[in-house]
Amino acid sequence: RIRGNPKAAVSLLEEAIEIGQTIGDAFGSLTYRLNLAKALVRLGETAEAQDHLRTILTSVVDQARINEWVGLPETYRFLAEASLAEGKTAVALELAQMAAEQAAKLGLPKQMGTTWRVLAQVLAQHEDGEKTAVVGGTSFDAAAAFLESRRLLQLAADNSVGVYRQQAQTLAAWGAFEQQRGSEERGQQMVQKAEAIATKLDIMLN
């Protein structure tokens, strides 16, 4: 089973990238490389993931015709996740802000919601969530960013498993943050609700 199994996906995605490059499929190659980076982040291979993500950014800059590629916000998002996993919170914050801004330009609620979740997770690592970030001229702390992530993902609700999975991931991350800052009962309720969604849909939260 490939879905939800990043280790199994890696070799297949590497092969897909090679095929895409051979036949000149620029968009396909970028998407496969992004999915490969996502799998590597999930496996904890953050250095290799970042190499692939920066290769994507170079390709997008070099090819102006794909500057509006829908995977660009996700590229910054996974770079932020990888940087956060390495403890580079300042870098992660900058990347997460860029991810949110790029997603806003495209106006796609799902991408906007997922990038806002990562921004919230980065902010949560600063001073018990008291750190703020400015996006679109408005300042947000971690709690406000989680709320914005949930709001956007609710707008994206299209009865797809993917959207519900993202909603559950936001709830789980938000719940963990609430527990971290002392709101144990509220946080536990959020985590339990996320787990219930995951169980009902037979999906993994991570």
Side-chain angles (χ1 to χ4, degrees):
R1 181 179 176 182
I2 300 302
R3 185 172 184 174
N5 188 343
K7 188 173 182 179
V10 168
S11 60
L12 292 176
L13 288 166
E14 289 174 336
E15 183 178 351
I17 292 169
E18 185 176 347
I19 293 172
Q21 291 175 331
T22 300
I23 65 176
D25 182 3
F27 284 101
S29 295
L30 286 174
T31 300
Y32 297 139
R33 193 176 295 277
L34 176 58
N35 287 331
L36 174 59
K38 175 181 177 180
L40 291 168
V41 169
R42 296 292 178 260
L43 291 169
E45 302 290 341
T46 54
E48 187 177 352
Q50 288 178 80
D51 286 341
H52 285 290
L53 292 165
R54 296 195 184 283
T55 295
I56 291 171
L57 291 180
T58 300
S59 298
V60 171
V61 170
D62 288 345
Q63 301 179 54
R65 66 188 180 85
I66 53 178
N67 273 332
E68 298 303 315
W69 177 54
V70 295
L72 191 55
E74 295 286 273
T75 301
Y76 284 113
R77 170 193 159 198
F78 289 120
L79 272 170
E81 284 193 28
S83 296
L84 185 60
E86 294 178 348
K88 301 174 181 176
T89 51
V91 175
L93 179 58
E94 182 180 352
L95 289 165
Q97 285 177 279
M98 293 174 71
E101 290 166 358
Q102 288 293 329
K105 287 180 182 178
L106 295 176
L108 300 174
K110 181 181 177 182
Q111 280 84 345
M112 293 165 71
T114 57
T115 56
W116 273 94
R117 179 179 65 245
V118 174
L119 177 59
Q121 290 174 301
V122 175
L123 289 170
Q125 299 303 310
H126 289 267
E127 302 291 335
D128 295 324
E130 295 302 318
K131 176 80 173 178
T132 61
V134 177
V135 179
T138 303
S139 182
F140 294 82
D141 62 9
F146 276 122
L147 181 62
E148 182 68 358
S149 172
R150 184 181 183 188
R151 183 186 73 82
L152 289 164
L153 288 169
Q154 287 174 333
L155 290 177
D158 56 8
N159 295 322
S160 73
V161 171
V163 169
Y164 288 128
R165 180 172 184 266
Q166 295 299 334
Q167 291 177 349
Q169 286 183 324
T170 289
L171 268 178
W174 191 357
F177 167 67
E178 291 294 339
Q179 290 176 309
Q180 173 188 319
R181 67 173 184 169
S183 299
E184 185 67 32
E185 184 176 353
R186 173 177 164 81
Q188 187 175 20
Q189 288 175 347
M190 288 180 169
V191 172
Q192 289 174 342
K193 185 174 181 180
E195 291 174 344
I197 294 172
T199 299
K200 181 179 180 179
L201 298 176
D202 189 25
I203 57 177
M204 299 190 339
L205 282 175
N206 297 321

